[in-house]
Amino acid sequence: MVLVMKVGASEEDINKTIKQIKEWGHSVSMAPGEKQVVIGIIGEKTDLSGRPLSTLPGVAKVLEVSAPFKRASRQFHPEDSVFDIEGVKVGGKNSVIIAGPCSVDTVENVVYLAKVAKENGAHMLRGGAYKPRTSPYSFQGHGEEGLKMMLEAKKETGLPIVTELMSVRDIDVVYKYADVIQIGARNMQNFPLLKEIGKLDKPVILKNGIASTVKEHLMSAEYIMSGGNEKVILCLRGTRTYEPSIRNTIDVTLVPVMQKMTHLPIIIDPSHAAGKREFVSSLAYAGMAVGADGLIVEIHNCPKEALSDGDQALLPRDFEYLMKKLKELKPWSQKEWWEFDKQKETDCIKVNK
Ligand code: PEP
Ligand code: MN
């Protein structure tokens, strides 16, 4: 349930209403908007039956939230969430560009790539030190040594660190270095891990699962948010489909579809979808064109020597080209379209004989 408060409802009324809901045994999630405050009530609908919600002080409207995800839902939080991550704004009208190697390999490479990222306008540095690999015989990541290399690159460039956490066991060490914790596709439904992340005060990039639905993705975000960590950035990295000519398929339509469902920022990972360097930039461009809140993209100075995902790494010159093209792009705004659509006079134009 959501209580939409009257425009200009007093703080006293809002507090009285919250107090009453809490006395009835429910938790409350607040979304202070520009015009109207929205109070979300967490709990099953049946628990509230018979409660005089519409007569509580300052309440304008009572809405039922049909989606099983509550905190992540736009009904609970009508305005876009905007997070400040070390001075970088994510969400709303801001585009965040995150670039870096798939795996951190050498300190020289990661510092060089951080400089390439920064010089071309990226806002954060990505790099994996704990790697989820299909084969147990493949490189598994440098662990804390890799995170130290990321820190060195951060010191040189000031770019915040985005890095993957795979296991509850590594939370403390990853927490120490990461500015944003990445939860990869394979762990999107690792519920014990999501619950632990929910207790942290660091933003999270939550990628969609290998074959997950939007609802499952949002329910996983809900796991994190229900623990108290509201800073979740959703990342579309594609799902496995029947089409083998591309590594994974990102349906870019999901950007506006998800923007309707959630207030959380949505970024695109074109690298793990395209799988090949030559297709990464076009997909990145498509994602930004439909209004994604940003990109996370893999780059490498010498892809053939990269310890993972070399085939899909953009070279520095490719990244420079992509960033130039993105600067010229005027992205679609689904929100503007919704505003435009509201002004329509008719949905049916009859043409007389
Ligand atoms: C990665 O970012 O390098 C990665 C392993 O991504 P994903 O979880 O999307 O496969
Ligand atoms: Mn990768």
Side-chain angles (χ1 to χ4, degrees), residues 54-69:
S54 57
T55 60
L56 291 174
V59 172
K61 253 192 295 185
V62 181
L63 299 175
E64 203 175 298
V65 178
S66 41
F69 43 91

PDB file of all heavy atoms in Angstrom, residues 54-69:
ATOM      1  N   SER A  54      -7.452   6.075   4.529  1.00  0.00           N
ATOM      2  CA  SER A  54      -7.740   7.332   3.825  1.00  0.00           C
ATOM      3  C   SER A  54      -8.095   8.478   4.765  1.00  0.00           C
ATOM      4  O   SER A  54      -8.077   9.638   4.360  1.00  0.00           O
ATOM      5  CB  SER A  54      -8.848   7.117   2.798  1.00  0.00           C
ATOM      6  OG  SER A  54      -9.971   6.607   3.475  1.00  0.00           O
ATOM      7  N   THR A  55      -8.388   8.156   6.031  1.00  0.00           N
ATOM      8  CA  THR A  55      -8.749   9.242   6.960  1.00  0.00           C
ATOM      9  C   THR A  55      -7.550   9.672   7.822  1.00  0.00           C
ATOM     10  O   THR A  55      -7.668  10.548   8.672  1.00  0.00           O
ATOM     11  CB  THR A  55      -9.917   8.818   7.884  1.00  0.00           C
ATOM     12  OG1 THR A  55      -9.473   7.673   8.628  1.00  0.00           O
ATOM     13  CG2 THR A  55     -11.162   8.462   7.088  1.00  0.00           C
ATOM     14  N   LEU A  56      -6.403   9.051   7.602  1.00  0.00           N
ATOM     15  CA  LEU A  56      -5.215   9.465   8.384  1.00  0.00           C
ATOM     16  C   LEU A  56      -4.834  10.902   7.997  1.00  0.00           C
ATOM     17  O   LEU A  56      -5.069  11.329   6.854  1.00  0.00           O
ATOM     18  CB  LEU A  56      -4.048   8.514   8.104  1.00  0.00           C
ATOM     19  CG  LEU A  56      -4.207   7.082   8.653  1.00  0.00           C
ATOM     20  CD1 LEU A  56      -3.054   6.197   8.186  1.00  0.00           C
ATOM     21  CD2 LEU A  56      -4.273   7.082  10.172  1.00  0.00           C
ATOM     22  N   PRO A  57      -4.223  11.654   8.936  1.00  0.00           N
ATOM     23  CA  PRO A  57      -3.938  13.069   8.671  1.00  0.00           C
ATOM     24  C   PRO A  57      -3.078  13.291   7.423  1.00  0.00           C
ATOM     25  O   PRO A  57      -2.048  12.641   7.265  1.00  0.00           O
ATOM     26  CB  PRO A  57      -3.180  13.522   9.924  1.00  0.00           C
ATOM     27  CG  PRO A  57      -3.414  12.482  10.947  1.00  0.00           C
ATOM     28  CD  PRO A  57      -3.813  11.220  10.270  1.00  0.00           C
ATOM     29  N   GLY A  58      -3.515  14.173   6.569  1.00  0.00           N
ATOM     30  CA  GLY A  58      -2.731  14.599   5.404  1.00  0.00           C
ATOM     31  C   GLY A  58      -2.798  13.680   4.203  1.00  0.00           C
ATOM     32  O   GLY A  58      -2.165  13.950   3.190  1.00  0.00           O
ATOM     33  N   VAL A  59      -3.557  12.571   4.292  1.00  0.00           N
ATOM     34  CA  VAL A  59      -3.553  11.602   3.191  1.00  0.00           C
ATOM     35  C   VAL A  59      -4.464  12.075   2.053  1.00  0.00           C
ATOM     36  O   VAL A  59      -5.611  12.437   2.270  1.00  0.00           O
ATOM     37  CB  VAL A  59      -4.010  10.203   3.686  1.00  0.00           C
ATOM     38  CG1 VAL A  59      -4.198   9.235   2.511  1.00  0.00           C
ATOM     39  CG2 VAL A  59      -3.001   9.652   4.668  1.00  0.00           C
ATOM     40  N   ALA A  60      -3.921  12.068   0.824  1.00  0.00           N
ATOM     41  CA  ALA A  60      -4.734  12.457  -0.335  1.00  0.00           C
ATOM     42  C   ALA A  60      -5.299  11.219  -1.026  1.00  0.00           C
ATOM     43  O   ALA A  60      -6.437  11.205  -1.451  1.00  0.00           O
ATOM     44  CB  ALA A  60      -3.888  13.257  -1.321  1.00  0.00           C
ATOM     45  N   LYS A  61      -4.448  10.186  -1.146  1.00  0.00           N
ATOM     46  CA  LYS A  61      -4.856   9.001  -1.922  1.00  0.00           C
ATOM     47  C   LYS A  61      -4.240   7.737  -1.309  1.00  0.00           C
ATOM     48  O   LYS A  61      -3.099   7.772  -0.818  1.00  0.00           O
ATOM     49  CB  LYS A  61      -4.285   9.127  -3.341  1.00  0.00           C
ATOM     50  CG  LYS A  61      -5.312   9.457  -4.412  1.00  0.00           C
ATOM     51  CD  LYS A  61      -4.741   9.271  -5.818  1.00  0.00           C
ATOM     52  CE  LYS A  61      -3.629  10.221  -6.165  1.00  0.00           C
ATOM     53  NZ  LYS A  61      -3.108  10.182  -7.499  1.00  0.00           N
ATOM     54  N   VAL A  62      -4.979   6.645  -1.368  1.00  0.00           N
ATOM     55  CA  VAL A  62      -4.422   5.352  -0.950  1.00  0.00           C
ATOM     56  C   VAL A  62      -4.328   4.487  -2.207  1.00  0.00           C
ATOM     57  O   VAL A  62      -5.314   4.300  -2.906  1.00  0.00           O
ATOM     58  CB  VAL A  62      -5.335   4.654   0.087  1.00  0.00           C
ATOM     59  CG1 VAL A  62      -4.731   3.318   0.525  1.00  0.00           C
ATOM     60  CG2 VAL A  62      -5.585   5.558   1.284  1.00  0.00           C
ATOM     61  N   LEU A  63      -3.118   4.021  -2.490  1.00  0.00           N
ATOM     62  CA  LEU A  63      -2.953   3.194  -3.695  1.00  0.00           C
ATOM     63  C   LEU A  63      -2.470   1.807  -3.296  1.00  0.00           C
ATOM     64  O   LEU A  63      -1.642   1.660  -2.395  1.00  0.00           O
ATOM     65  CB  LEU A  63      -1.893   3.797  -4.630  1.00  0.00           C
ATOM     66  CG  LEU A  63      -2.126   5.196  -5.195  1.00  0.00           C
ATOM     67  CD1 LEU A  63      -0.900   5.616  -5.994  1.00  0.00           C
ATOM     68  CD2 LEU A  63      -3.360   5.194  -6.086  1.00  0.00           C
ATOM     69  N   GLU A  64      -2.954   0.840  -4.015  1.00  0.00           N
ATOM     70  CA  GLU A  64      -2.494  -0.512  -3.746  1.00  0.00           C
ATOM     71  C   GLU A  64      -1.280  -0.784  -4.643  1.00  0.00           C
ATOM     72  O   GLU A  64      -1.329  -0.453  -5.835  1.00  0.00           O
ATOM     73  CB  GLU A  64      -3.607  -1.475  -4.110  1.00  0.00           C
ATOM     74  CG  GLU A  64      -3.481  -2.790  -3.401  1.00  0.00           C
ATOM     75  CD  GLU A  64      -4.680  -3.673  -3.703  1.00  0.00           C
ATOM     76  OE1 GLU A  64      -5.799  -3.255  -3.347  1.00  0.00           O
ATOM     77  OE2 GLU A  64      -4.470  -4.727  -4.306  1.00  0.00           O
ATOM     78  N   VAL A  65      -0.223  -1.313  -4.086  1.00  0.00           N
ATOM     79  CA  VAL A  65       0.942  -1.645  -4.920  1.00  0.00           C
ATOM     80  C   VAL A  65       0.803  -3.104  -5.326  1.00  0.00           C
ATOM     81  O   VAL A  65       0.917  -4.004  -4.500  1.00  0.00           O
ATOM     82  CB  VAL A  65       2.272  -1.417  -4.162  1.00  0.00           C
ATOM     83  CG1 VAL A  65       3.469  -1.808  -5.028  1.00  0.00           C
ATOM     84  CG2 VAL A  65       2.387   0.035  -3.754  1.00  0.00           C
ATOM     85  N   SER A  66       0.553  -3.293  -6.608  1.00  0.00           N
ATOM     86  CA  SER A  66       0.302  -4.659  -7.054  1.00  0.00           C
ATOM     87  C   SER A  66       1.611  -5.442  -7.210  1.00  0.00           C
ATOM     88  O   SER A  66       1.644  -6.650  -7.063  1.00  0.00           O
ATOM     89  CB  SER A  66      -0.461  -4.628  -8.370  1.00  0.00           C
ATOM     90  OG  SER A  66       0.081  -3.602  -9.181  1.00  0.00           O
ATOM     91  N   ALA A  67       2.708  -4.743  -7.485  1.00  0.00           N
ATOM     92  CA  ALA A  67       3.983  -5.431  -7.717  1.00  0.00           C
ATOM     93  C   ALA A  67       4.467  -6.073  -6.417  1.00  0.00           C
ATOM     94  O   ALA A  67       4.308  -5.506  -5.344  1.00  0.00           O
ATOM     95  CB  ALA A  67       5.016  -4.426  -8.201  1.00  0.00           C
ATOM     96  N   PRO A  68       5.093  -7.260  -6.551  1.00  0.00           N
ATOM     97  CA  PRO A  68       5.603  -7.913  -5.349  1.00  0.00           C
ATOM     98  C   PRO A  68       6.849  -7.218  -4.787  1.00  0.00           C
ATOM     99  O   PRO A  68       7.206  -7.411  -3.642  1.00  0.00           O
ATOM    100  CB  PRO A  68       5.929  -9.327  -5.821  1.00  0.00           C
ATOM    101  CG  PRO A  68       6.118  -9.210  -7.294  1.00  0.00           C
ATOM    102  CD  PRO A  68       5.265  -8.076  -7.754  1.00  0.00           C
ATOM    103  N   PHE A  69       7.495  -6.408  -5.661  1.00  0.00           N
ATOM    104  CA  PHE A  69       8.623  -5.627  -5.136  1.00  0.00           C
ATOM    105  C   PHE A  69       8.038  -4.303  -4.665  1.00  0.00           C
ATOM    106  O   PHE A  69       7.198  -3.726  -5.343  1.00  0.00           O
ATOM    107  CB  PHE A  69       9.718  -5.425  -6.195  1.00  0.00           C
ATOM    108  CG  PHE A  69       9.181  -5.075  -7.544  1.00  0.00           C
ATOM    109  CD1 PHE A  69       9.010  -3.751  -7.909  1.00  0.00           C
ATOM    110  CD2 PHE A  69       8.817  -6.063  -8.442  1.00  0.00           C
ATOM    111  CE1 PHE A  69       8.491  -3.414  -9.150  1.00  0.00           C
ATOM    112  CE2 PHE A  69       8.281  -5.737  -9.681  1.00  0.00           C
ATOM    113  CZ  PHE A  69       8.113  -4.420 -10.026  1.00  0.00           C
TER     114      PHE A  69
END
